[in-house]
Amino acid sequence: MGRLGALLIVSTLPSNTPPSQPSKPLAGSASASTSGGQIRVLVCDDSAFMRKAISQLIASDPQLVVIDTARNGQEAVEKAKKLSPDVITLDIEMPIMNGHQALTAIKRECRDLPEGPPAVLVCSSLTSAGSHDALQALREGAADIIAKDASFFSTNMEAMREDLIRKIKAIGGSRARRAGPRPAIGSTLARPMNALAAAHQAANLAAAAAMDLRPISLTGRRIDLIAIGSSTGGPPILETILSNLPPALPCPIVIAQHMPASFTKAMSERLDGMSAISVVHGEHGMPLHPGTAYVIPGGRHGRVRAIGPGPIRLEVSDDPKSAPFKPSVNELLASAARQSGKHCLGIVLTGIGDDGKVGGQELRTCGGTLLAQDPGTSVVYGMPKAAADVGGISMTPEQIAQSISTLVPAGLRAAG
């Protein structure tokens, strides 16, 4: 899968570097006993070119180390059990055992490792089939997706490297939180927790201890718009929320999910098929209607705006080009605050960084309500923490759905 993209990557790397041997760590990498605080990565792909390319991109950051590679899902499962990596980059289309089968086996057979099963970053093509495969992998337990596309690799190598490294650090750092209590130091499988994982664990435990998680009632409140921002680990959470909403929702929902456009299109189709409300892939100028969720196309920004006396419309554009994430949650929440003020409900879900903090602050200043996903259910407690820091109310995805549902009268809710 993605062989053309792999060839284009390798053409930019030194030609005198021999392909890595899948049976042992790459040159310059560290073993399980010597990697210290680095995040340890296992690279799995059936293409030798892709294994080499991804490994070299990862190795360009001193906080990351590639401990080994695997040629198929079966090798990945075996090496995951033996080496206990923090992160596995996993292709989907492979011989012997494909990525879906490997992911299921890794989650099952590595659950008793000292730090729990490795976090998995799925490598997917930008085709329609690849996008649906990637979303399926997220439902099966993968933490995030990285795109493998020929044109993207050939023209945006540095962006690809930054995205890959950022996601590995985020999901690798969250592994300790997901694993629960660690074994005694004397355990034969125990090893030092990487520095990012230790920092994530301490921050999440402190945040969770201070929270009294519960849904809120919006009964009798006028809410004209719901704006949701999401990133790493977000699609399954969006499924949980939207699939639990009644069809008679009195306002539209606009969703900004950090993903390429082919992935957001597949996600909107999936959400529409499992939800009582309608879910569409948004287009520029599209009017926003109650009882419908609009997914902003990936790779572009989405804002809400009313022109004249007509309905609020979705505005899709490439500006601002300087924003690190497209679509920007800050842009969406800020526009929602300006448009609907105190009649807006903003929600920030799992994700890397603090996208949504500035927009969330603007929404709060206008009198709007801001919700944030709790640390216990977040794959990465970055964006929701930033939202909580500016006054967002923390709750689980199920509680978020319960809170939104209170906008619908009880009789209509039961009928839905």
Side-chain angles (χ1 to χ4, degrees), residues 371-394:
L371 308 182
Q373 187 176 344
D374 71 296
T377 62
S378 297
V379 172
V380 180
Y381 188 57
M383 285 169 44
K385 180 182 184 303
D389 288 345
V390 296
I393 303 168
S394 296

Side-chain angles (χ1 to χ4, degrees), residues 228 242 276 331:
I228 303 178
L242 267 62
E331 288 292 315

Side-chain angles (χ1 to χ4, degrees), residues 225 252-255 265 268 278-290 292-297 300-307 310-317 332 339:
L225 177 69
I253 299 174
V254 180
I255 299 168
K265 187 175 190 306
S268 65
S278 297
V279 183
V280 300
H281 202 223
E283 297 178 1
H284 178 67
M286 185 175 278
L288 306 182
H289 299 294
T292 302
Y294 301 82
V295 178
I296 299 168
R300 307 193 74 192
H301 294 304
R303 290 171 286 268
V304 294
R305 184 181 177 194
I307 302 175
I312 300 174
R313 294 181 180 271
L314 182 63
E315 180 182 88
V316 178
S317 74
L332 172 61
Q339 179 60 49

Side-chain angles (χ1 to χ4, degrees), residues 87-259:
V87 177
I88 300 174
T89 66
L90 186 66
D91 192 13
I92 295 293
E93 295 181 9
M94 296 181 292
I96 303 177
M97 180 184 284
N98 66 31
H100 295 297
Q101 296 165 328
L103 179 56
T104 300
I106 288 165
K107 295 298 180 183
R108 181 182 66 250
E109 298 186 31
C110 296
R111 62 189 174 191
D112 293 328
L113 291 176
E115 291 181 315
V120 175
L121 179 62
V122 169
C123 298
S124 172
S125 71
L126 288 172
T127 63
S128 176
S131 298
H132 283 281
D133 265 341
L135 291 171
Q136 176 63 32
L138 290 177
R139 291 190 291 275
E140 293 165 345
D144 208 341
I145 302 166
I146 193 78
K148 297 196 301 185
D149 176 72
S151 61
F152 186 81
F153 281 143
S154 61
T155 60
N156 297 279
M157 176 63 68
E158 183 57 25
M160 164 66 188
R161 188 188 77 85
E162 291 178 359
D163 191 35
L164 177 67
I165 289 172
R166 180 176 62 247
K167 289 181 176 181
I168 288 175
K169 288 182 177 180
I171 66 176
S174 70
R175 186 185 182 199
R177 174 185 60 74
R178 293 181 286 105
R182 290 172 53 76
I185 296 299
S187 167
T188 57
L189 290 175
R191 62 176 176 81
M193 185 191 302
N194 71 65
L196 284 175
H200 283 216
Q201 185 183 59
N204 291 338
L205 289 173
M211 291 179 182
D212 179 19
L213 303 177
R214 62 182 66 185
I216 60 172
S217 176
L218 299 171
T219 302
R221 287 275 305 276
R222 173 187 160 190
I223 298 293
D224 294 339
L225 177 69
I226 300 173
I228 303 178
S230 178
S231 185
T232 300
I237 302 302
L238 288 169
E239 290 181 7
T240 296
I241 294 172
L242 267 62
S243 66
N244 281 290
L245 299 183
L249 200 66
C251 61
I253 299 174
V254 180
I255 299 168
Q257 168 69 48
H258 294 165
M259 273 184 169

